[in-house]
Amino acid sequence: MPLLFIIYLNDLPRHINHFTNAVLLADDTSILITEKNYENLNQKIRLTLDCTSRWFKANQFLLNLMKTNIIKFSPSHFLHSQLITKHNSTTVSEVPETSFLGV
């Protein structure tokens, strides 16, 4: 079953934004965004959630925002600002730690 799921999800990275990298493993999808300008980061997160959600819907999947986490890796001068994004009236907040690809 995981192999079929990976084959089905294989085109997701081509349909999300050019500034992201998608990491797919079985039923776990991680999307990495690199941004040096902190002010643009929230906008990129919103755009990525929109693109990903549209792809999931078009392929009859559901993006589970209750399991969606944002984790930021940044220099200490960015640590004071927390990322909070709304998508379809659900808040997706930054977390200090999360499980990455089942680890």
Side-chain angles (χ1 to χ4, degrees):
M1 176 66 178
L3 177 61
L4 292 175
F5 192 79
I6 290 171
I7 291 170
Y8 199 65
L9 282 178
N10 200 35
D11 70 330
L12 173 63
R14 290 191 307 259
H15 293 332
I16 54 177
N17 303 314
H18 66 279
F19 51 79
T20 63
N21 291 311
V23 180
L24 309 173
L25 179 64
D27 65 345
D28 199 356
T29 303
S30 297
I31 300 173
L32 310 173
I33 300 172
T34 303
E35 175 56 57
K36 292 182 181 180
N37 182 340
Y38 189 79
E39 293 173 8
N40 295 333
L41 187 55
N42 265 336
Q43 181 180 1
K44 284 186 174 184
I45 291 169
R46 281 189 215 98
L47 288 171
T48 301
L49 283 171
D50 288 343
C51 288
T52 305
S53 182
R54 279 194 305 272
W55 184 92
F56 271 58
K57 187 175 182 177
N59 288 279
Q60 299 178 0
F61 283 113
L62 176 65
L63 177 59
N64 187 345
L65 293 173
M66 300 305 289
K67 291 184 175 182
T68 301
N69 295 315
I70 299 171
I71 187 164
K72 177 178 56 188
F73 302 96
S74 65
S76 59
H77 63 278
F78 284 144
L79 293 178
H80 69 281
S81 300
Q82 185 174 16
L83 299 168
I84 299 174
T85 300
K86 279 197 175 270
H87 182 73
N88 293 339
S89 73
T90 301
T91 301
V92 181
S93 299
E94 180 184 347
V95 296
E97 59 186 45
T98 190
S99 175
F100 183 67
L101 299 177
V103 178

